[in-house]
Amino acid sequence: MRNPIQRIRQSLTLKLTIGILAFVVTLFVVSLGFLFLQSRQMLRGEAMDHAERVLDNTALRVRNCLDEVEVATQHAEWQVYAHLEPDSLLAFTHRVVALNPNINGCSITTEPYFFTQFGRYFSAYSVRQNDSVKTVREGEYEYFDKVWYSTPRVKGKAVWVDPFDDYNEGTLSSEEIIASYCKPLYNERHQLIGVLSTDLSLTKLSRTITAEKPFPNSYTMMLGHRGHYFVHPDTTKLLHTTILDGIDPKAHLDIVELALQMMEGKTGNVYANIDGQRCIVFYQPLEGTDWSIALVCMESDILGAYHQLGFIVIPLLVVGLLIILLFCRKTIKHFIQPVNELVDQSRHIADGHFDEQMALSSRKDEIGQLQNSFVHMQQSINQHVTRLQSVNQEAEQCNCELSKANVLVAEAEQKKTEFIQDVLHQIRTPLNIIQGFVQVLRDGYGVIPDGETNRILETMQHNAISVTRMVNMLVTASTFNGYTVVERNDFVRCNKIAHEAAVVYHQRPPETIDLRVETEVPDSLRIHTNKSYLTKTLNELLYNAKKFTNEGVVVLRVKATDEKVQFVVEDTGSGIAEADRERIFTQFFKHDGFTEGLGLGLPVCKQHARQLGGDLIYDDTYEHGSRFILELPKS
């Protein structure tokens, strides 16, 4: 194989193609590189806009949920002022929870000794439990110090307090973590008389926040004003863990910046490395609260469309370059084809070939003129060479005929030697087997078991049949004559002779390969033929099928048309190679030199079939072994 560099140096086509391709590749790379950068910015911008819209929608859903609680609280407030009685307060809390399925609980808690009949404590509380609402007067405990009571009392206005665990021993409590909207209640002298608190389940709030995901791996979280997690996929971090817990501030300045921005209630986005992954965090505060929500998106998700674009564009680029390469090569090759032909023709003449003339060119340019001049020169050289060749032609012809005669004599001698050796081997082997078993029977007949004796006799009989068969084949082959006339005076029943052949088949080993006789003709169908020749042909075909079949079954099928009867023999053996099919009916041909036989079986069968007025055909459409069709006339 030539060196690729050397091949390029010697090929003008390859030089031009590589030069053009190098320019095109450079142009493509620069152009696509610029387009990729622009596409990256565009796709990144679209993905970030989508994430910000999702965050805005999430904040809007949360705000709607909070507004529902605030509106329900405000509606209950004026009823409290109108009916400031213990039983009415219990009814009001029950109505707030019952009419608002998103509200988890509601309490109206008064200042100490507001209702003197109940002493220091009075708190009407209703909470949702499964599908029902339970309303009670809470047990006595110091609720004045609880965050949901102290915060609005100190600030003097309605506020959302951070989510908390509402469990209080000895009284009714919510089973869930809740966030409460707490509104102070004042009398006409602007004196605090109590607090109206409406509860929202943190689980409900979390479902609202996490209801929409812009990307497969994104998630939403909510922080309080001190950085505590209120909503997060990892529920173990809720309430008691801040965003800054467990990190090194110097190594994670991005997370510190994110925490400060969210705790200060600002809006924006920041790159951060969270749990070892590069992320873009979009954040904004929740209006009316000290809380902030954030949407955490993996950078790989945001740029996913860009990477998919690369997977599409890069193969297209490669295919495009290959197409350009092929187009350039074909175009350049077309234009310099006359030059290549001149080079090839010059090399051809240098090798001694003068008789193959180039065609005259119709081109008017320098290449066409060069080609036509070369053609005239080649014609002149060819005339001189032809004169020289004619002198030697007669002598070469005589030598050639002598050489062919010598080759034919040598081939005939070689074939004769090979055939004699094959005959000796094919006959000597079964004779040696018979002789050996005769000696065994002679020397040990009395001690050999009956079963073994039968096996020995069967083997001797099989080899005797083989010797007889080969001798008959040799006799038949020696009398091959295309003009031999066979008398067809026998009326033969087709099905009967097929079953007779099957009996002979089963008498020959091995017994593992079964024969199935199938007939499509009535038992009364008879043909006018030579029974001996037909029997020999069927037996030989079945013998071959059995010999070359290691497993499966041999089928003898009898069919008929309007004018002919067909005996079809098919097997499941190895079949005949396509290269050998034209020679299988040639005398002494064996496609496998290691199998027994003289290569006369099929030729003899073919000769018999023709002498009976029919033919033997090999069916090359059969794919499961070999199939031979013996066709005979009906009359």
Side-chain angles (χ1 to χ4, degrees):
M1 179 179 288
R2 288 189 296 172
N3 190 320
I5 297 178
Q6 182 181 1
R7 184 179 179 184
I8 292 173
R9 288 177 178 174
Q10 296 177 353
S11 175
L12 180 60
T13 302
L14 289 177
K15 287 181 180 179
L16 292 175
T17 302
I18 292 174
I20 295 174
L21 187 63
F23 172 76
V24 173
V25 168
T26 303
L27 182 63
F28 263 58
V29 170
V30 173
S31 302
L32 287 178
F34 176 76
L35 291 176
F36 258 53
L37 290 176
Q38 294 299 318
S39 300
R40 178 186 176 93
Q41 295 299 325
M42 181 178 67
L43 293 174
R44 179 178 179 275
E46 290 180 356
M48 294 185 67
D49 290 343
H50 177 56
E52 289 178 351
R53 288 194 298 271
V54 171
L55 183 62
D56 291 340
N57 292 338
T58 300
L60 182 61
R61 288 197 306 273
V62 174
R63 187 62 257 175
N64 290 338
C65 191
L66 300 181
D67 287 345
E68 181 181 351
V69 175
E70 294 176 6
V71 169
T73 303
Q74 292 167 2
H75 286 173
E77 180 184 10
W78 68 266
Q79 295 179 352
V80 171
Y81 287 134
H83 305 280
L84 195 57
E85 299 174 356
D87 292 340
S88 298
L89 298 183
L90 290 170
F92 294 155
T93 61
H94 186 277
R95 185 180 305 166
V96 169
V97 178
L99 296 180
N100 298 276
N102 291 327
I103 292 178
N104 189 67
C106 180
S107 66
I108 302 176
T109 308
T110 61
E111 282 287 279
Y113 301 106
F114 184 80
F115 293 114
T116 57
Q117 65 270 34
F118 296 111
R120 176 179 173 82
Y121 308 101
F122 178 83
S123 177
Y125 181 50
S126 295
V127 64
R128 188 179 304 278
Q129 293 183 342
N130 298 326
D131 296 332
S132 61
V133 178
K134 187 173 183 179
T135 302
V136 297
R137 173 179 171 265
E138 288 194 88
E140 296 181 355
Y141 69 98
E142 284 296 318
Y143 49 75
F144 309 109
D145 297 331
K146 298 293 184 180
V147 63
W148 54 268
Y149 193 93
S150 61
T151 301
R153 182 171 60 181
V154 172
K155 292 187 176 182
K157 63 179 182 178
V159 295
W160 279 95
V161 298
D162 292 348
F164 58 91
D165 187 351
D166 189 43
Y167 175 75
N168 296 287
E169 186 175 358
T171 187
L172 181 65
S173 301
S174 173
E175 297 177 354
E176 301 185 35
I177 297 175
I178 57 175
S180 295
Y181 179 70
C182 306
K183 186 175 182 64
L185 302 174
Y186 296 96
N187 58 20
E188 61 276 5
R189 295 187 300 274
H190 200 70
Q191 294 176 334
L192 182 70
I193 61 175
V195 172
L196 172 60
S197 176
T198 308
D199 304 331
L200 178 64
S201 167
L202 189 62
T203 301
K204 170 65 178 178
L205 189 61
S206 177
R207 284 198 297 268
T208 302
I209 291 175
T210 59
E212 185 177 1
K213 293 175 61 174
F215 305 107
N217 299 310
S218 62
Y219 63 90
T220 309
M221 61 182 182
M222 185 174 75
L223 301 182
H225 67 282
R226 291 191 297 272
H228 287 85
Y229 288 113
F230 293 159
V231 175
H232 193 276
D234 185 359
T235 56
T236 61
K237 295 182 178 181
L238 300 182
L239 300 184
H240 307 297
T241 304
T242 70
I243 190 174
L244 297 175
D245 287 347
I247 68 168
D248 182 3
K250 295 181 179 180
H252 295 84
L253 293 176
D254 48 357
I255 297 181
V256 173
E257 179 186 359
L258 172 64
L260 292 176
Q261 294 286 329
M262 293 184 68
M263 287 188 291
E264 292 176 2
K266 295 183 178 180
T267 300
N269 62 77
V270 65
Y271 281 92
N273 194 314
I274 300 176
D275 296 331
Q277 294 192 13
R278 176 97 170 152
C279 305
I280 302 179
V281 184
F282 303 87
Y283 55 88
Q284 65 173 269
L286 284 173
E287 183 182 354
T289 70
D290 294 332
W291 309 333
S292 183
I293 62 172
L295 177 62
V296 181
C297 302
M298 308 302 168
E299 189 178 34
S300 59
D301 285 347
I302 289 181
L303 297 179
Y306 172 76
H307 296 303
Q308 292 178 357
L309 179 64
F311 293 146
I312 297 174
V313 172
I314 291 176
L316 290 177
L317 173 62
V318 174
V319 173
L321 291 176
L322 289 176
I323 293 174
I324 293 174
L325 173 63
L326 295 175
F327 176 76
C328 291
R329 179 176 173 82
K330 291 194 68 174
T331 303
I332 295 171
K333 188 175 181 180
H334 171 73
F335 283 110
I336 67 171
Q337 181 64 27
V339 177
N340 291 333
E341 291 179 358
L342 289 177
V343 173
D344 293 339
Q345 196 69 13
S346 300
R347 189 180 297 113
H348 207 55
I349 292 175
D351 294 336
H353 304 282
F354 304 97
D355 55 344
E356 297 180 8
Q357 298 291 325
M358 287 184 62
L360 290 172
S361 174
S362 60
R363 296 175 60 166
K364 304 301 181 181
D365 55 10
E366 291 80 359
I367 293 179
Q369 296 174 12
L370 177 62
Q371 181 174 344
N372 291 335
S373 299
F374 186 86
V375 170
H376 293 309
M377 180 188 68
Q378 186 183 16
Q379 290 174 351
S380 298
I381 295 174
N382 186 47
Q383 290 175 1
H384 292 288
V385 172
T386 302
R387 295 191 189 99
L388 293 174
Q389 290 176 344
S390 62
V391 176
N392 300 322
Q393 191 171 14
E394 293 182 1
E396 291 179 357
Q397 184 175 359
C398 294
N399 293 333
C400 182
E401 291 176 356
L402 291 174
S403 298
K404 290 181 179 179
N406 290 333
V407 170
L408 291 175
V409 171
E411 289 181 353
E413 187 66 25
Q414 178 66 24
K415 287 184 177 180
K416 181 185 72 173
T417 302
E418 291 177 354
F419 175 70
I420 293 174
Q421 291 175 349
D422 193 19
V423 169
L424 292 175
H425 172 73
Q426 295 290 345
I427 294 178
R428 184 172 58 247
T429 300
L431 288 178
N432 288 338
I433 294 174
I434 294 172
Q435 182 180 1
F437 280 129
V438 168
Q439 186 175 354
V440 170
L441 293 174
R442 183 194 63 191
D443 296 339
Y445 182 79
V447 297
I448 299 176
D450 291 341
E452 186 67 19
T453 301
N454 292 334
R455 188 185 68 80
I456 292 173
L457 292 175
E458 290 176 358
T459 304
M460 291 173 63
Q461 182 184 13
H462 170 68
N463 285 276
I465 292 173
S466 297
V467 173
T468 304
R469 175 179 169 274
M470 284 185 281
V471 172
N472 290 334
M473 285 293 178
L474 290 172
V475 173
T476 303
S478 66
T479 60
F480 268 3
N481 187 341
Y483 301 100
T484 302
V485 178
V486 176
E487 295 183 357
R488 292 180 283 171
N489 299 324
D490 301 325
F491 284 98
V492 177
R493 294 184 184 273
C494 298
N495 290 343
K496 181 179 179 182
I497 199 167
H499 287 288
E500 289 175 356
V503 173
V504 176
Y505 174 92
H506 288 295
Q507 291 174 353
R508 293 174 175 174
E511 299 178 356
T512 57
I513 308 301
D514 194 15
L515 171 66
R516 187 169 68 243
V517 179
E518 299 177 356
T519 179
E520 300 176 6
V521 301
D523 291 340
S524 59
L525 178 63
R526 299 190 304 173
I527 60 175
H528 199 197
T529 187
N530 187 298
K531 182 177 181 180
S532 175
Y533 273 61
L534 176 56
T535 300
K536 290 178 181 179
T537 304
L538 288 177
N539 289 340
E540 183 63 26
L541 291 176
L542 292 174
Y543 176 83
N544 276 348
K546 192 172 191 179
K547 179 171 66 174
F548 291 105
T549 303
N550 295 324
E551 59 180 359
V553 67
V554 176
V555 178
L556 172 58
R557 186 176 292 110
V558 184
K559 304 167 63 177
T561 63
D562 293 338
E563 299 178 355
K564 295 181 180 180
V565 173
Q566 293 181 340
F567 294 89
V568 182
V569 177
E570 62 184 40
D571 60 61
T572 57
S574 57
I576 299 174
E578 186 174 354
D580 296 335
R581 292 174 183 175
E582 294 182 357
R583 299 185 293 168
I584 57 176
F585 296 114
T586 303
Q587 291 188 41
F588 311 120
F589 170 73
K590 296 170 60 177
H591 72 278
D592 183 0
F594 296 99
T595 58
E596 65 177 34
L598 301 175
L600 294 172
L602 289 177
V604 169
C605 291
K606 182 84 167 180
Q607 181 70 12
H608 286 172
R610 289 180 174 176
Q611 289 173 333
L612 294 176
D615 199 0
L616 179 61
I617 303 168
Y618 175 75
D619 185 359
D620 56 6
T621 63
Y622 184 66
E623 299 178 350
H624 305 292
S626 297
R627 175 188 286 165
F628 289 90
I629 303 173
L630 175 60
E631 287 187 347
L632 297 177
K634 284 187 175 180
S635 59

